[in-house]
Amino acid sequence: MDWQDPEAGDELTLSYVLRHLCFGEQAAGRVEAVRELLTESTRLRRELSSTPWLAANLIGLAYLAAGRGSGSRP
């Protein structure tokens, strides 16, 4: 994946793309890919001080940490 180099400079949009990519990875059962994508999306949202969307990602990461990431949307 080449999502780590956001040439367009629109980090908020990139954070959305990464979050939505994790839904496909989750459906395929690739929990580590979900964690990686969601962690990067969270980092971007934290940098942007996008508090409501940051909270949504943190809930998803909490589900993953609880081992429930394979059956529920992050």
Side-chain angles (χ1 to χ4, degrees):
M1 282 185 220
D2 197 67
W3 50 264
Q4 295 179 352
D5 187 19
E7 290 294 320
D10 189 352
E11 283 83 8
L12 183 58
T13 299
L14 180 58
S15 78
Y16 277 100
V17 169
L18 296 173
R19 179 175 169 80
H20 287 89
L21 283 173
C22 46
F23 300 146
E25 294 296 331
Q26 181 184 24
R30 294 186 285 262
V31 177
E32 279 307 309
V34 172
R35 187 180 330 277
E36 179 182 331
L37 291 165
L38 197 52
T39 298
E40 181 63 12
S41 175
T42 301
R43 183 190 68 76
L44 291 168
R45 290 175 179 198
R46 192 171 271 136
E47 285 179 5
L48 295 166
S49 299
S50 181
T51 306
W53 308 121
L54 174 60
N57 278 13
L58 292 174
I59 291 168
L61 288 169
Y63 271 90
L64 287 171
R68 299 181 353 190
S70 61
S72 57
R73 274 181 79 161

